[in-house]
Amino acid sequence: SHPAPGEPMEIITAVRGFKDILPGETERWQFVEETARKIFSDFGFKEIRVPVLEKTELFRRSIGETTDIVEKEMYTFEDRGGESLTLRPEATASVMRAFLEHSLHGGDSVSKLFTFGPMFRRERPQKGRYRQFHQINVELLGSADPLVDAEVIHMLMLFLERVHLKNVSLEINSLGCPGCRPAFRKVLGQFLSQKEKDLCEDCRRRLGTNPLRVFDCKVEGCRAAVSSAPLLIDYICAGCAGHFREVQEGLKVLETGFSLNPRMVRGLDYYTKTTFEVTTKALGAQNAVAGGGRYDRLVKDLGGPEVPGIGFAAGVERLISLLPEGMEGVSRSPDLYVAALGPEAKKIAFRLCNGIRRQGFLAETDYSGRSLKSQMKRSDRLGAGYTLLIGENEIREGKALLRNMKDGSQGSIGLEGAEAQLLSLLKAR
C-alpha cells in the first residue's frame, strides 16, 4: 500500500532466507572460489555454468519423488505457458542435463566439470542455512574406477585444507547397487514395520516407497528407531564390496584420513556405491560442510547412455562461517588517492585517475567538493599508498605535492607528465 502524502516510503527488505553478500564479506567468498578454481584446475576440471531455472521434471526424475527436496522444499511454479518450472535445489541434475543436451559425452571419455552458484530450497532458515544458498559442485563422468572415487574425495579434502578449515571429519559408506539394494530394502522394511509407531509421519509414509530415507531423517524418534536397524553395508554384493575396499585403499595411499559411517545414506535417490560426507562439530545438528557420492545410473535415468559418475557439493555459506579470521583475501586499497581542490584540479584528477586505472592500478579521487582535510582523512581510511594533492597553487606552479602514506615522506612532481611519473613510481613499489 502507498503511504499517505508526506509520510516516508517504507524500505523494502530482502525475502526471508535470502541474504545479501556485502563488501567485506565478498572478499571471503572470492578467496574460497579462487582457491577452488586453482585446485580443481590442477586436477583437470573445467568450469561449466548452468541456469538457475529448469523444468520441474528434471529434478523429479533425478533426485527422486520421495525425497524431502522434491516433496516439500522446491520452489516450483507454472509459467505463463503452463509449463512447470523449478528454481534448482541442487546442481548435479542441471550439469547432467547440460552434459546430455550438448553431447559432452561425445568428446573425451572422461568429463571433469565444476560449477559455482545459488541453489533454492524453501526450508526453515537456521545458522549456516538459507533459502537461497550457494554451492561449489564437482562432477566427474565417464569412469567407474574406485581410484577415481578416492581421487575426487582427496581433492575435496585438499580444497578444505587450503581454505584453512579446521576440525573436519571425512565419513564414507557404500550404498550398493540396484542389484544388491532390493534385498536390503525388504529386510529394512520388515524391521521398520515393527517400529512404525515410533516414526514420524513422513517416515511412515516412506515405508512403502523408500525406507532408506528413514536413515536420513533428523527427527530424534526416527534416529532412535533405526539405531538397531540392519545396515546396508552388510548386504552389498561382492562387486560393490570390492569397489568399496579399493576406495579405502586409494584414500590410504593418498594419506586421506576417513572413518566408516554405515548409517549414512545422503538425501538424494541417485547415489550408488560410494557416498561420503565431511562434517564439523561447529555447526550443531546441521553439521555437514560437504558431501557427495557415486551416481552410475543418473545419466541413463535422464535419457542418456550408461555413463558412470561421481561428484560432490560444498555449501559456501557454511564454509565461509567456519573460515578462521584473517585467512581470506582483504579489500584492495588504492595505490593512489588524488586529493583535488577546485574545478580545474578536479579535471586533472579525473584524467589522472582514469589513466592510472587503465594501467592496472587502483586510483581514487573525490568529486563531491570535500575539504582537503576530509579528502586526506578518506585517503588514510582507504589505506592509499600515495596521496597526490592538487589545488589552485599547485596548478599555478605546475607542481603537485605527493605524500607517501606509509612513511609520511613527501615531495613534489610536475603536473606535466605526472601520469608517467606516477606510473613509474607505482611499478617500482
Side-chain angles (χ1 to χ4, degrees):
S1 62
H2 292 285
E7 285 188 11
M9 188 79 78
E10 185 181 347
I11 294 173
I12 299 170
T13 58
V15 176
R16 186 165 184 256
F18 288 68
K19 183 177 180 291
D20 297 308
I21 303 160
L22 305 175
E25 294 177 277
T26 50
E27 289 79 12
R28 296 166 75 87
W29 287 66
Q30 290 162 2
F31 168 68
V32 167
E33 290 170 1
E34 286 163 10
T35 304
R37 275 197 178 89
K38 174 66 172 70
I39 291 171
F40 299 165
S41 63
D42 288 347
F43 279 74
F45 286 78
K46 296 180 179 179
E47 186 172 1
I48 182 172
R49 302 191 183 193
V50 288
V52 297
L53 197 63
E54 299 275 7
K55 295 174 182 175
T56 304
E57 183 58 25
L58 173 67
F59 302 113
R60 287 192 180 133
R61 209 191 299 180
S62 61
I63 297 172
E65 290 276 8
T66 59
T67 58
D68 280 356
I69 296 171
V70 172
E71 285 183 333
K72 298 187 293 187
E73 296 172 1
M74 294 200 313
Y75 280 99
T76 297
F77 61 93
E78 279 194 8
D79 72 355
R80 291 179 180 179
E83 185 171 33
S84 181
L85 303 176
T86 295
L87 287 168
R88 64 181 184 192
E90 60 98 45
T92 299
S94 293
V95 173
M96 296 305 105
R97 192 263 315 141
F99 175 78
L100 289 172
E101 186 173 339
H102 302 289
S103 300
L104 299 184
H105 53 289
D108 194 346
S109 59
V110 174
S111 294
K112 297 179 175 182
L113 305 166
F114 71 91
T115 190
F116 305 136
M119 313 295 154
F120 305 85
R121 296 185 195 175
R122 200 186 189 289
E123 54 187 339
R124 185 169 61 86
Q126 53 193 285
K127 184 180 180 183
R129 177 166 282 195
Y130 302 95
R131 288 172 175 174
Q132 176 180 303
F133 59 99
H134 297 74
Q135 284 185 345
I136 296 172
N137 282 78
V138 165
E139 318 292 349
L140 187 150
L141 294 138
S143 176
D145 195 306
L147 290 182
V148 166
D149 301 23
E151 189 170 283
V152 167
I153 295 170
H154 172 66
M155 183 178 75
L156 167 61
M157 299 308 289
L158 181 63
F159 162 62
L160 296 176
E161 179 187 313
R162 292 280 172 86
V163 294
H164 309 284
L165 214 61
K166 308 290 185 187
N167 304 316
V168 292
S169 304
L170 169 65
E171 299 178 346
I172 64 172
N173 191 23
S174 176
L175 293 184
C177 65
C180 53
R181 208 181 289 177
F184 173 70
R185 283 179 63 160
K186 185 177 179 182
V187 171
L188 179 63
Q190 290 169 349
F191 171 85
L192 292 175
S193 65
Q194 298 168 15
K195 303 272 187 179
E196 190 168 350
K197 66 180 187 305
D198 301 320
L199 302 177
C200 70
E201 185 180 337
D202 284 340
C203 287
R204 284 199 295 271
R205 192 177 70 253
R206 291 171 185 144
L207 287 182
T209 55
N210 194 350
L212 264 72
R213 288 270 65 76
V214 179
F215 280 108
D216 200 43
C217 185
K218 302 297 187 286
V219 175
E220 198 54 48
C222 298
R223 293 169 79 97
V226 299
S227 62
S228 58
L231 300 173
L232 178 52
I233 197 74
D234 296 328
Y235 288 80
I236 61 175
C237 62
C240 289
H243 184 280
F244 195 44
R245 272 195 306 274
E246 289 190 50
V247 172
Q248 294 173 65
E249 288 166 11
L251 289 170
K252 288 172 183 173
V253 168
L254 297 175
E255 298 181 347
T256 301
F258 64 89
S259 60
L260 300 178
N261 180 357
R263 298 184 187 281
M264 184 208 306
V265 297
R266 304 287 297 146
L268 302 99
D269 281 355
Y270 53 60
Y271 287 120
T272 56
K273 296 183 180 174
T274 310
T275 53
F276 53 93
E277 275 189 351
V278 182
T279 60
T280 174
K281 293 179 180 175
L283 290 170
Q286 297 294 338
N287 62 353
V289 176
R294 180 163 282 284
Y295 44 79
D296 290 345
R297 293 175 57 86
L298 180 56
V299 176
K300 188 175 182 182
D301 287 346
L302 291 173
E306 266 198 49
V307 178
I310 183 169
F312 66 78
V316 182
E317 279 85 354
R318 291 189 182 184
L319 280 180
I320 298 293
S321 72
L322 295 167
L323 281 185
E325 289 299 322
M327 289 299 183
E328 69 280 2
V330 294
S331 297
R332 188 177 169 191
S333 297
D335 299 293
L336 174 72
Y337 187 95
V338 182
L341 289 173
E344 282 304 310
K346 181 177 171 182
K347 289 176 185 176
I348 295 170
F350 173 72
R351 187 178 68 250
L352 266 180
C353 281
N354 286 290
I356 283 165
R357 289 164 181 160
R358 285 196 297 271
Q359 298 302 315
F361 294 96
L362 173 53
E364 288 287 357
T365 189
D366 173 67
Y367 296 126
S368 62
R370 297 184 205 188
S371 68
L372 178 61
K373 186 177 180 181
S374 293
Q375 291 192 58
M376 291 300 293
K377 279 185 177 178
R378 182 168 183 244
S379 175
D380 195 45
R381 190 172 64 250
L382 292 173
Y386 290 90
T387 300
L388 186 70
L389 289 83
I390 308 173
E392 291 178 4
N393 290 340
E394 285 74 21
I395 293 171
R396 197 164 42 246
E397 294 172 8
K399 292 180 179 179
L401 186 67
L402 182 67
R403 180 176 295 177
N404 184 323
M405 300 297 284
K406 189 171 182 181
D407 61 18
S409 61
Q410 59 187 40
S412 61
I413 64 168
L415 285 176
E416 190 173 335
E419 184 179 320
Q421 295 175 70
L422 289 165
L423 285 171
S424 177
L425 185 67
L426 293 175
K427 287 173 182 176
R429 284 178 73 193

